[in-house]
């Protein structure tokens, strides 16, 4: 199995596992900005229990890699628009934003953080499981299991021993420096191709349903709409709500779930189980605002497995509707309590 320190050395390996952001919450909950998608430099530092200077220094050293994974700095009208849509309060002329993928990237680069080390360990555990999962004959010609084991063994050796050895030789080399750099680049290209080959096999397994879903949001994405409504109802009961009733289907008068909060306020909930690339649009939010009025609800929650459009978020804010987007839904499902239910 790969040692967690190999991620510090191998950019190609970091690229191959950059989408496994679910491991962040396996270590501890990652707090997000109100938009449910980004965190600030200070929030990243707090998550990894390091100083802000350490994160800024990391950005300086690896800016291109982090930018490719979602890091960006807002200023001017772009910053003003973001503040308005997300509700964030900031008085600085610029704002650095990290996506969940960028935070994972930081975890793979940050040396002096126990949290980052744990994230790397969980990440490679998941990757190891994916690589060692048996591959069924779901393609015309199944890969030879022996070849698959050899590929993994070679990738391990290249990333863990050969590339670091080349790095050491390059540091101490003289006339052969160019040739050694060229050889190292060739080795890294081979490593990258082997990793990509492994990733393709894993993706094929996912398509065929050969692997179980992992992570909070992955499990929720695997639900149907009825299971999702039951999941949200269970979260409400967990947080002390009473008289929780699932309506669903026709005749629900626009409310999928209703009940009372722990302090007696009446609530209504709309649930939308959709693919992550879709959105809740303004017309749908306007309709739910009418539902809140119809039910004379004190609390209105719109829980969705997809993002909300900027217009729908603006309507929700104006009408007092809590929009539970993917990021907030993940935190809620992982144990956090919705602020509106407190």
């Amino acid at each position: 199995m790969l040692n967690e320190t190999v991620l510090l050395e191998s950019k190609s390996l970091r690229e191959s596992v950059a989408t496994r952001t679910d491991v962040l919450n396996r270590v501890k909950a990652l707090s997000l900005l109100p938009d449910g998608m980004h965190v600030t430099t200070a929030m990243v530092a707090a998550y990894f229990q390091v100083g802000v200077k350490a994160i800024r220094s990391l950005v300086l050293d690896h800016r291109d890699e982090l930018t490719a994974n979602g890091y960006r700095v807002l200023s001017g009208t772009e910053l003003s628009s973001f503040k308005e849509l997300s509700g964030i309060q900031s008085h600085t002329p610029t704002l650095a934003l990290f996506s969940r993928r960028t935070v994972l990237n930081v975890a793979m680069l940050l040396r002096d953080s126990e949290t980052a080390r744990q994230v790397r360990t969980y990440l490679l555990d998941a990757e190891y499981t994916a690589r060692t999962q048996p591959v069924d004959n779901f393609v015309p010609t199944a890969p030879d299991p022996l070849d698959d084991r050899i590929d993994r063994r070679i990738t391990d050796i290249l990333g863990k021993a050969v590339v670091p050895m080349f790095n050491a030789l390059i540091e101490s080399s003289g006339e052969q420096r160019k040739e050694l750099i060229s050889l190292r680049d060739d080795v890294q290209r081979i490593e990258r191709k082997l990793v990509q080959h492994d990733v393709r096999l894993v993706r094929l397994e996912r398509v065929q349903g050969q692997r179980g879903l992992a992570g909070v949001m992955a499990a929720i994405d695997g639900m149907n709409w009825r299971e999702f409504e039951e999941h949200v109802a269970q979260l409400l009961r967990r947080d002390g709500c009473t008289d929780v009733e699932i309506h669903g289907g026709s005749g629900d008068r626009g409310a999928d779930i209703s009940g009372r909060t722990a302090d007696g306020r009446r609530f209504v909930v709309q649930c939308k189980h959709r693919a992550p690339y879709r959105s809740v649009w303004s017309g749908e939010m306007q309709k739910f605002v009418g539902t809140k009025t119809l039910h004379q609800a004190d609390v209105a929650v719109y829980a969705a497995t997809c993002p909300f459009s900027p217009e729908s978020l603006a309507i929700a804010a104006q009408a007092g509707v809590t929009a539970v987007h993917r990021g907030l839904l993940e935190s809620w499902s992982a144990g956090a309590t919705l602020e509106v239910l407190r």
Side-chain angles (χ1 to χ4, degrees):
M1 180 176 171
L2 295 175
N3 185 281
E4 53 95 10
T5 57
V6 72
L7 286 167
L8 299 168
E9 306 292 338
S10 176
K11 183 179 179 182
S12 61
L13 184 55
R14 292 196 296 272
E15 290 173 349
S16 73
V17 297
T19 60
R20 294 186 180 274
T21 57
D22 59 284
V23 301
L24 293 170
N25 282 102
R26 291 181 62 186
V27 177
K28 65 178 183 179
L30 174 66
S31 298
L32 300 169
L33 289 174
D35 72 339
M37 294 182 287
H38 298 96
V39 295
T40 64
T41 303
M43 293 167 73
V44 175
Y47 178 83
F48 290 112
Q49 297 180 305
V50 298
V52 170
K53 287 185 178 179
I55 302 301
R56 288 175 177 164
S57 176
L58 191 78
V59 171
L60 286 175
D61 292 339
H62 303 277
R63 192 182 187 94
D64 289 343
E65 182 177 339
L66 293 171
T67 299
N69 279 311
Y71 174 82
R72 57 192 178 123
V73 178
L74 304 184
S75 61
T77 56
E78 190 179 16
L79 176 56
S80 299
S81 298
F82 180 81
K83 288 180 183 178
E84 183 178 350
L85 291 174
S86 66
I88 185 175
Q89 300 297 319
S90 174
H91 303 290
T92 58
T94 61
L95 180 66
L97 294 178
F98 296 72
S99 65
R100 289 177 60 84
R101 182 163 170 157
T102 323
V103 176
L104 181 62
N105 200 163
V106 170
M108 292 188 278
L109 292 167
L110 194 60
R111 293 177 181 272
D112 300 323
S113 166
E114 178 62 22
T115 301
R117 189 195 67 77
Q118 290 178 26
V119 171
R120 291 193 293 270
T121 299
Y122 274 122
L123 187 61
L124 289 176
D125 282 346
E127 184 67 3
Y128 179 79
T129 300
R131 292 185 181 194
T132 55
Q133 193 78 13
V135 179
D136 205 353
N137 295 331
F138 56 86
V139 291
T141 304
D144 187 333
L146 178 59
D147 290 342
D148 193 33
R149 289 196 299 272
I150 291 173
D151 284 349
R152 290 197 302 271
R153 177 66 175 160
I154 292 173
T155 305
D156 190 5
I157 293 172
L158 292 180
K160 191 174 178 180
V162 178
V163 171
M165 179 189 70
F166 271 114
N167 289 336
L169 288 172
I170 290 168
E171 288 298 322
S172 60
S173 64
E175 297 179 358
Q176 292 79 29
R177 183 180 179 84
K178 276 190 176 181
E179 185 176 350
L180 286 170
I181 291 175
S182 177
L183 287 171
R184 182 193 63 184
D185 291 345
D186 288 341
V187 169
Q188 287 180 317
R189 276 194 292 273
I190 294 170
E191 179 192 7
R192 190 177 302 115
K193 287 182 179 179
L194 287 171
V195 170
Q196 289 171 347
H197 169 70
D198 232 359
V199 170
R200 281 194 293 270
L201 287 178
V202 170
R203 285 175 180 168
L204 284 172
E205 286 181 317
R206 285 174 179 166
V207 171
Q208 295 297 320
Q210 299 299 315
R211 292 184 55 213
L213 295 168
V216 175
M217 284 311 302
I220 293 174
D221 288 338
M223 298 175 182
N224 59 39
W225 65 272
R226 291 183 184 276
E227 291 169 335
F228 179 56
E229 287 181 359
E230 180 58 41
H231 173 71
V232 173
Q234 290 294 344
L235 294 178
L236 292 163
R237 295 186 185 105
R238 182 202 69 191
D239 291 345
C241 295
T242 60
D243 301 327
V244 178
E245 183 178 355
I246 301 175
H247 304 287
S250 59
D252 62 3
R253 299 168 68 196
D256 293 324
I257 306 173
S258 64
R260 293 192 178 275
T261 62
D263 58 4
R265 290 170 296 155
R266 181 168 177 75
F267 69 78
V268 290
V269 180
Q270 177 69 35
C271 299
K272 285 294 181 197
H273 190 277
R274 290 178 174 169
Y277 57 81
R278 297 183 63 189
S279 296
V280 173
W281 299 103
S282 58
E284 295 170 302
M285 184 60 72
Q286 288 172 351
K287 182 178 178 182
F288 184 57
V289 170
T291 297
K292 178 188 176 188
T293 303
L294 179 64
H295 287 264
Q296 298 181 327
D298 303 300
V299 175
V301 175
Y302 204 126
T305 58
C306 62
F308 291 79
S309 71
E311 294 82 3
S312 67
L313 286 175
I315 294 169
Q318 185 177 8
V321 174
T322 299
V324 181
H325 44 65
R326 284 182 69 84
L328 187 53
L329 177 61
E330 183 177 34
S331 298
W332 190 20
S333 300
T337 302
L338 284 185
E339 189 66 32
V340 72
L341 299 178
R342 293 180 185 275

